[in-house]
Amino acid sequence: MKVFCGRANPTTGSVEWLEEDEHYDYHQEIARSSYADMLHDKDRNIKYYQGIRAAVSRVKNRGQKAIVLDIGTGTGLLSMMAVTAGADFCYAIEVFKPMADAAVKIVKKNGFSDKIKVINKHSTEVTVGPDGDMPCRANILVTELFDTELIGEGALPSYEHAHRHLVQENCEAVPHRATVYAQLVESRRMWSWNKLFPVRVQTSLGEQVIIPPSELERCPGAPSVYDIQLNQVSPTDFTVLSDVLPMFSVDFSKQVSSSAAFYSRQFEPLASGQAQVVLSWWDIEMDPEGKIKCTMAPFWAHSDPKGLQWRDHWMQCVYFLPQEEPIVQGTTHCLVAHHDDYCVWYSLQKTSPEENGRVHQLRPVCDCQAHLLWNRPRFGEINDQDRTDQYAQALRTVLTPDSVCLCVSDGSLLSMLAYFLGAEQIFKANHLENKINIIEKRPELLTTADLEGKKVSLLLGEPFFTTSLLPWHNLYFWYVRTAVDQHLKPGAVVMPQAASLHAMVVEFRDLWRIRSPCGDCEGFDVHIMDDMIKSALDFRESKEAEPHPLWEYPCRSLSEPQRLLTFDFRQPVPQQPVCAEGSMELRRPGRSHGIVLWMEYHLTPDSTVSTGLLEPVDDKGNCCWNPHCKQAVYFLSPTLDPRVPLLGSPRAVTYTVEFHPNTGDITMEFKLTDIPD
C-alpha cells in the first residue's frame, strides 16, 4: 500500500506531497538507528554478559528460579545471554514492532524460543497474572534504556513502573547502579556554542562593535543537552576548574523515582576562572560490588585511556550554566545537578542549596528566541571572528555608497555588517533602529512596495537556512535569487556569486562501525538484524548521503578533493539538470569506507568559504573539517565489513552526480573500481 506524505523541501522551499511505502517510517527508523553501533560495542556487550551471569548465579544460589524481565530487548541479545547463563525464562519487551518481529526471528534462529517470550508492548502496558503477559513477577531486571544523558529515553519512568508492577521487591538488576559525573570548566570555544559574542567590524570610521541584545545576554539558553564526542575536543580548548565530581547515583535494584530532584556537591576550584560549562558522563556498574563497570568517561578521566571503547550511541554531555560566573581558587562552591523525568541541568551556587533553602527546580528555558533559531554549531559559526572578517572583506569589494542590499539567510548578521560597511539601505529580519527593514514574506511574494520602489543592487546570503540538513540544502539561496530576479537591478551583484559541490574518498577511524554488519555478537547469530538494516538502507538510504559533523569523527583522505558540480548564482536556476560523471583516483592505501561531500561558496572571485575542508590534506591524509557545519557521508557498503576482504585492489571510485532543478535534489552513485581506460 502507498501513502501520501507531505514534506517541506529544504532546497526549493516548497511543500511537496510524495507517494511513499506505508512502512517508510519504519525503514527510516531502522536505517538511521544505532543498533549496529550497539552490537559492535564489545565493552558494553562483555560487561552486560558478565553482569547477567553474576545475577543469574546469585538467584540460583538462593535456590530460586531465575525469571528475567528484559525491557527494550532490541535484538534479544541480553535475553539470549540470560538464558545461556542459566535463566529459567525471559520476558523480552520491545515496543517497536519491526524490532520485536526481528527479535522473535533471532531468538528462534539461536534456538531459544522455548525460553524467551518476546512481548511487543511498551513496558508500562505489560500485565502480570494468570491471563497476563507474564504469569508472575520477574526476579531479575535487565535493561538497556540509556542515552548519552542516561535518563533521556525515559529510563526513570520505566524503572519506576517496573518495580511497582513487574518485578519482585529487592530483585537483581543488570545494570545494578548508574552514577553521573560532572566537571566544571572554562571554555571560550564551548561557551561560543551558547552565547553570542560581540562582533567586531573594521570600517572606514574605525572598529565598530555589534553588541548582543541584553535579552540574549540574560537568557539561560536552550534547555537541551549538547551531546558530542568529547574525546575529539582538544584539552587546550578548556581549562579545568574542578575535580571530576560524582553528582548522583541511581540504584536500579530498588524502587526508582522519576520525580524531580537535585543533588549538590561542594568543591574547591582547582583554578580561578569563569565557570561556564559542565562536562558530564556516566558509568554503569553491572553488579552490587561495582567490579563490573562500563564507563563513558573521556580519555582524561578514564582509568585506561589506551583501551577506550569508541561508541556513538553513548557519548558525553556538554551543559551550559545559565550565566558564566567568576570563581576563585581557595573558595568553596556548590555544583548542583537537577533532573526531572527526562532531563538533567546544572547550576552553580556559593553555598549548599540544602543550607540556604534556594533550589531552582524549574528547567531553564530560552526566552530570547535566539536559541530556538540557532543550534549550537550555528552559535559557534556566528561567533567565529575569522569567518566574519572574511565576509566583511568580501563585502568591501562589492559595496558602493548607494548600494541597496537584500539579505537572505536565517538569523544572519550579514545585514548589520553591510550597514556598518556603508550600504544605503538593508532589508533583513534583524532590528537596527530604522536602518534595516524587516520583510516578513516568502521571496516569491516580494513586491516593489516592500522594497520602497527601489531595485536591489546587491543580493546577499551566507547562505544559511535552519531547514538545511545536508550541505547542498542551502542551495535554497539560488531559488530565492530566482524568485526575486525581477527586483534585481541590471548588473546587480550576487554574493556569493557561485557554489560548488566537492567530494573526497576517506577511510574512517571509527564511524564505519555504524553501518558495518555484525554477523556474530558474543557467540549469538544476529545476521537477521544485519539483513534487516541492509533492507532498510536499500529502501532508499543506501543511495543517499547522511549528515555528520566530521570534526568529531576522524578520517583519512584516500583521494584528492574533487569538484563535482558548480552552481552559478549570477544566473537563475536552470531548467535542465546539471550532471557530472568521472572518477577519483585512490592515492593512499586504506579501506574506502565512504565519500565525504561538502559545499564551497565563492563569495567573490578571490574569496571562498568552505563547509568542509579548511586546510589542504596533509601527507598522511589527515583532514581538518569545518567544526560549524555537518558534512555529508555516502557510505560504500562493500568496504564496511572488515571480515570481508575486497576483491582485488580498487584504485578509483567512479561517480555519477545529478542536480535536479525541479526538486532541488542531488542524486548520486559512487562505485569502487579500477581506473577506467
Side-chain angles (χ1 to χ4, degrees):
M1 187 173 105
K2 299 289 185 179
V3 295
F4 281 102
C5 298
R7 70 157 187 166
N9 186 309
T11 309
T12 65
S14 62
V15 176
E16 301 173 344
W17 288 92
L18 305 176
E19 190 179 61
E20 300 282 12
D21 184 274
E22 63 177 323
H23 299 303
Y24 172 64
D25 285 346
Y26 286 168
H27 287 296
Q28 219 176 25
E29 178 76 16
I30 294 165
R32 300 296 193 216
S33 71
S34 296
Y35 289 118
D37 181 29
M38 288 187 284
L39 293 175
H40 282 291
D41 189 342
K42 195 162 185 66
D43 178 61
R44 162 195 178 270
N45 299 338
I46 289 174
K47 301 293 175 55
Y48 260 100
Y49 211 166
Q50 291 173 344
I52 289 169
R53 286 195 190 101
V56 171
S57 178
R58 288 193 297 274
V59 169
K60 292 287 190 178
N61 289 341
R62 294 197 292 265
Q64 301 173 356
K65 284 188 174 182
I67 308 300
V68 176
L69 173 64
D70 175 9
I71 300 179
T73 194
T75 59
L77 177 66
L78 302 185
S79 288
M80 294 189 292
M81 288 179 176
V83 171
T84 304
D88 294 279
F89 203 84
C90 291
Y91 298 94
I93 315 300
E94 177 55 53
V95 68
F96 185 41
K97 189 176 189 309
M99 198 66 250
D101 293 342
V104 170
K105 296 175 184 177
I106 292 171
V107 166
K108 182 178 180 181
K109 176 79 173 177
N110 286 274
F112 295 115
S113 294
D114 60 331
K115 292 289 186 78
I116 298 174
K117 178 183 178 182
V118 178
I119 302 171
N120 179 209
K121 287 184 176 182
H122 194 285
S123 64
T124 57
E125 298 173 344
V126 172
T127 56
V128 177
D131 298 321
D133 299 305
M134 301 166 55
C136 63
R137 291 182 177 232
N139 54 12
I140 300 177
L141 176 58
V142 176
T143 63
E144 206 279 58
L145 300 172
F146 314 118
D147 66 349
T148 294
E149 200 174 15
L150 183 69
I151 66 172
E153 291 185 0
L156 295 182
S158 296
Y159 271 109
E160 186 175 42
H161 177 271
H163 276 287
R164 287 179 178 170
H165 302 286
L166 304 177
V167 297
Q168 298 174 14
E169 188 176 356
N170 298 319
C171 70
E172 299 289 342
V174 182
H176 180 84
R177 181 187 301 106
T179 301
V180 173
Y181 299 88
Q183 189 167 35
L184 188 65
V185 303
E186 175 181 358
S187 172
R188 179 175 175 82
R189 179 186 179 189
M190 286 186 264
W191 194 239
S192 77
W193 300 337
N194 182 57
K195 295 288 186 179
L196 184 61
F197 297 165
V199 179
R200 304 183 183 280
V201 188
Q202 295 296 330
T203 74
S204 58
L205 301 177
E207 183 179 82
Q208 300 289 328
V209 181
I210 301 174
I211 302 296
S214 58
E215 296 92 333
L216 202 153
E217 285 291 299
R218 294 194 302 266
C219 180
S224 57
V225 64
Y226 189 22
D227 52 340
I228 64 171
Q229 293 284 358
L230 202 50
N231 290 309
Q232 297 307 314
V233 176
S234 170
T236 61
D237 281 333
F238 60 92
T239 300
V240 171
L241 299 179
S242 78
D243 289 319
V244 175
L245 305 172
M247 296 305 299
F248 64 92
S249 295
V250 183
D251 186 337
F252 297 124
S253 69
K254 299 177 181 178
Q255 181 62 56
V256 172
S257 173
S258 62
S259 300
F262 73 92
Y263 310 86
S264 66
R265 289 293 178 266
Q266 197 171 72
F267 70 96
E268 290 189 8
L270 299 177
S272 299
Q274 291 292 118
Q276 299 169 325
V277 173
V278 176
L279 307 180
S280 183
W281 57 89
W282 49 263
D283 63 32
I284 45 178
E285 297 171 356
M286 301 297 183
D287 61 323
E289 297 78 25
K291 296 179 180 178
I292 308 169
K293 183 180 291 188
C294 184
T295 181
M296 306 307 118
F299 67 87
W300 67 85
H302 202 283
S303 58
D304 180 21
K306 292 184 179 179
L308 204 65
Q309 169 75 52
W310 183 87
R311 47 174 68 95
D312 204 45
H313 59 108
W314 294 332
M315 294 185 279
Q316 293 80 35
C317 301
V318 175
Y319 296 95
F320 304 98
L321 293 178
Q323 298 295 331
E324 61 179 345
E325 299 183 34
I327 61 173
V328 179
Q329 189 175 12
T331 59
T332 301
H333 296 264
C334 278
L335 185 63
V336 185
H338 311 258
H339 76 74
D340 53 22
D341 47 353
Y342 283 90
C343 300
V344 178
W345 65 96
Y346 286 86
S347 64
L348 186 64
Q349 301 185 18
K350 291 184 178 180
T351 58
S352 169
E354 292 91 340
E355 295 176 7
N356 61 28
R358 291 190 304 108
V359 181
H360 304 291
Q361 290 281 13
L362 294 179
R363 229 174 124 200
V365 175
C366 170
D367 54 22
C368 74
Q369 307 305 312
H371 298 89
L372 305 180
L373 176 64
W374 299 329
N375 59 21
R376 271 57 179 269
R378 177 60 172 167
F379 265 95
E381 187 172 54
I382 291 175
N383 284 322
D384 187 336
Q385 187 63 50
D386 291 340
R387 180 178 180 274
T388 297
D389 292 343
Q390 187 173 359
Y391 275 92
Q393 181 58 38
L395 276 169
R396 290 187 190 98
T397 67
V398 296
L399 278 171
T400 62
D402 60 349
S403 289
V404 176
C405 304
L406 178 63
C407 299
V408 183
S409 278
D410 288 346
S412 175
L413 303 184
L414 269 184
S415 57
M416 284 180 273
L417 290 182
Y419 168 73
F420 283 121
L421 292 170
E424 176 186 292
Q425 195 163 6
I426 316 279
F427 302 91
K428 177 68 177 67
N430 263 304
H431 179 66
L432 188 63
E433 298 176 342
N434 297 319
K435 304 298 183 181
I436 298 177
N437 294 347
I438 302 169
I439 304 175
E440 298 185 19
K441 280 187 175 181
R442 291 182 57 84
E444 64 269 20
L445 302 178
L446 202 65
T447 66
T448 302
D450 294 323
L451 300 174
E452 299 177 359
K454 297 183 179 181
K455 288 286 188 178
V456 173
S457 61
L458 177 57
L459 178 64
L460 297 176
E462 296 188 34
F464 171 84
F465 301 99
T466 55
T467 54
S468 298
L469 296 176
L470 292 166
W472 46 88
H473 286 166
N474 284 320
L475 286 175
Y476 177 57
F477 176 76
W478 203 7
Y479 288 84
V480 172
R481 179 258 179 270
T482 303
V484 302
D485 188 62
Q486 61 180 312
H487 301 294
L488 300 183
K489 187 177 181 179
V493 175
V494 180
M495 191 187 101
Q497 64 179 27
S500 49
L501 176 66
H502 296 250
M504 186 170 68
V505 185
V506 302
E507 176 184 51
F508 287 108
R509 191 169 75 190
D510 296 297
L511 188 62
W512 60 270
R513 301 174 194 274
I514 69 171
R515 288 290 171 267
S516 176
C518 187
D520 177 277
C521 184
E522 304 308 318
F524 301 100
D525 186 343
V526 293
H527 279 92
I528 290 170
M529 187 67 218
D530 292 339
D531 295 341
M532 184 178 178
I533 294 174
K534 184 178 184 302
S535 175
L537 287 168
D538 287 345
F539 182 78
R540 179 177 299 164
E541 273 73 7
S542 67
K543 303 177 183 66
E544 295 180 345
E546 55 189 68
H548 290 282
L550 292 189
W551 73 268
E552 296 184 57
Y553 304 102
C555 60
R556 289 176 54 249
S557 166
L558 302 185
S559 74
E560 295 303 313
Q562 189 155 324
R563 179 182 296 195
L564 305 185
L565 296 174
T566 299
F567 313 94
D568 187 353
F569 295 159
R570 293 168 298 185
Q571 302 297 324
V573 176
Q575 297 296 313
Q576 300 302 317
V578 181
C579 309
E581 293 184 354
S583 65
M584 293 180 281
E585 184 180 350
L586 302 181
R587 298 183 178 275
R588 297 181 184 88
R591 206 168 180 93
S592 305
H593 289 136
I595 315 299
V596 177
L597 301 105
W598 67 94
M599 295 291 288
E600 294 188 1
Y601 294 100
H602 310 290
L603 307 182
T604 67
D606 301 318
S607 181
T608 295
V609 173
S610 173
T611 67
L613 284 178
L614 295 183
E615 300 173 1
V617 175
D618 69 18
D619 293 340
K620 295 182 179 179
N622 296 314
C623 308
C624 178
W625 299 103
N626 187 326
H628 310 311
C629 305
K630 287 186 178 181
Q631 293 73 41
V633 177
Y634 182 107
F635 287 102
L636 294 168
S637 56
T639 67
L640 295 176
D641 190 345
R643 302 164 302 169
V644 179
L646 295 177
L647 298 176
S649 298
R651 294 181 294 157
V653 171
T654 60
Y655 62 83
T656 302
V657 182
E658 185 170 355
F659 169 69
H660 303 272
N662 58 326
T663 63
D665 292 333
I666 294 182
T667 55
M668 58 191 69
E669 186 174 12
F670 296 90
K671 290 183 179 179
L672 286 165
T673 183
D674 286 333
I675 298 176
D677 296 331

